[in-house]
């Protein structure tokens, strides 16, 4: 309520949309996670909605840098989901959970993972090049060796062997964000 009081109706709208998306993720007549739409919703709500929404509450303006930075973080959040879906794709298929990894296969999931991870890094220079932020926006690139290692591991491992890479991808997101 306080955030709505500070940020007004845009924060109320984002809050309602986030609650509805959370409920629709695994519930309701058409669960997003079960029809292959979990990835885009994680990207949007764990990325630009969260980051730009936080920035908006603090500044009362929508900042392009927060949208780009939020998208980078959303891509890394989606990468965590991709590892999970890649690992679980056989069980998900038996349970009729039609994630993107089930629909398009392991190879496509590995490509999606790499695109999410490298996409996050590709967005960093955009903020600096557009003059929305200083060279500090390039600091997350220091975590690129971790990203390369994770992409290489996810490209070659399967099943339970991916378990450590769920946490490692989350750590990559944390290091990138810090």
């Amino acid at each position: 309520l306080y955030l709505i009081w500070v940020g007004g109706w845009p924060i109320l709208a984002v809050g309602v949309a986030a609650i509805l998306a959370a409920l629709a993720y695994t519930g309701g007549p058409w669960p997003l996670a079960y029809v292959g739409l979990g990835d885009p919703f994680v990207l949007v709500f764990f990325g630009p909605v969260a980051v730009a929404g936080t920035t908006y509450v603090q500044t009362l303006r929508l900042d392009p840098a927060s949208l780009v930075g939020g998208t980078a973080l959303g891509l890394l959040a989606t990468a965590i989901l991709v590892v999970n879906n890649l690992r679980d794709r056989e069980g998900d298929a038996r349970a009729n959970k039609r994630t993107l990894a089930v629909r398009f296969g392991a190879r496509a999931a590995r490509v999606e993972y790499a695109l999410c991870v490298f996409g996050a890094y590709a967005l960093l220079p955009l903020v600096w090049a557009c003059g929305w932020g200083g060279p500090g926006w390039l600091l997350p690139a220091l975590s690129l060796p971790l990203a390369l290692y994770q992409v290489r591991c996810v490209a070659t491992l399967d099943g339970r062997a991916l378990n450590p890479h769920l946490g490692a991808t989350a750590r990559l997101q944390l290091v990138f964000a810090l």
Side-chain angles (χ1 to χ4, degrees), residues 30-57:
W30 202 56
L32 300 171
Y34 284 70
V35 296
L37 292 175
D39 303 43
F41 276 82
V42 166
L43 169 63
V44 169
F45 283 97
F46 283 73
V49 169
V51 175
T54 300
T55 302
Y56 180 82
V57 166

Side-chain angles (χ1 to χ4, degrees), residues 2 11 23 28 30 36 76 78 80 83 94 101 107-108 114-115 122 124 138 144 147 152 160-161 175:
Y2 174 73
I11 297 303
L23 293 172
W30 202 56
L76 292 173
T78 304
I80 297 167
V83 175
R94 285 191 300 273
R107 182 176 177 172
L115 289 172
L124 296 173
L138 300 177
L144 193 56
R152 190 169 42 249
R160 289 179 150 171
V175 170

